[in-house]
Amino acid sequence: MMELRSTALRSLIGGSIAVAGVAIGSMPASASTATTTFNVTATVQATCLISASNLGFGTYSGSAIATTTTVSVTCTNGTTYNVGLNAGTAAGATVTTRAMTGPGAAILDYGLYQDSGHSTNWGNTVGTDTKSGTGNGSAQSMTVYGNLTANQYPTAGSYSDTITATITY
């Protein structure tokens, strides 16, 4: 009888442990959490980029030639700017009397303007003869109107000049 009781007791204890194991396994794990916050910041500095395409008048035979090129400006949104064009590299040139230099230091006069009628000179004095705008975060194109004046007969050959476009913001 003792053996029967031991077997019954072992079965009872084994079953209780199994039931307890199932009950414990299905109980949710007890976990604690804590939270915090942090700030994310940045300062956007006013910035502008400028690029330009070359201006080519082609072959000149004494008749006036008008052509255009583009200056592209990209500034941070809301940034005001002015774009100026310098006098170039020819000796004695100014923003109102630009010149390309050719063979033997010969010159060929031309002008750069803000309008197609060639009435608003494009120079480099902010507030006087520069072109202004306000950045929008995207590239903004500005047309430069070039005019090679008629009735010039310098030495035959290739002529060139280099203009520096400057953005002030």
Side-chain angles (χ1 to χ4, degrees):
M1 173 101 173
M2 190 61 134
E3 193 175 305
L4 183 59
R5 206 185 303 178
S6 278
T7 304
L9 187 56
R10 273 189 258 148
S11 292
L12 181 62
I13 291 173
S16 296
I17 292 173
V19 169
V22 169
I24 291 171
S26 63
M27 292 176 62
S30 177
S32 298
T33 61
T35 62
T36 190
T37 61
F38 61 94
N39 293 324
V40 178
T41 63
T43 300
V44 176
Q45 185 175 8
T47 302
C48 291
L49 304 173
I50 188 169
S51 63
S53 298
N54 292 331
L55 175 74
F57 285 107
T59 302
Y60 180 71
S61 61
S63 298
I65 299 174
T67 191
T68 62
T69 191
T70 302
V71 172
S72 180
V73 171
T74 304
C75 291
T76 48
N77 193 29
T79 300
T80 57
Y81 61 84
N82 281 275
V83 174
L85 304 178
N86 77 345
T89 57
T94 69
V95 295
T96 56
T97 57
R98 289 182 173 96
M100 292 179 272
T101 305
I107 60 166
L108 187 59
D109 295 328
Y110 72 99
L112 298 176
Y113 302 92
Q114 298 179 39
D115 64 314
S116 60
H118 305 141
S119 61
T120 306
N121 183 65
W122 198 328
N124 61 358
T125 304
V126 173
T128 301
D129 56 5
T130 58
K131 193 159 188 174
S132 63
T134 301
N136 63 10
S138 297
Q140 296 173 295
S141 291
M142 299 177 165
T143 301
V144 178
Y145 297 88
N147 186 48
L148 186 55
T149 54
N151 300 317
Q152 299 182 72
Y153 300 99
T155 305
S158 294
Y159 288 74
S160 66
D161 192 15
T162 301
I163 296 294
T164 300
T166 302
I167 187 162
T168 304
Y169 58 96

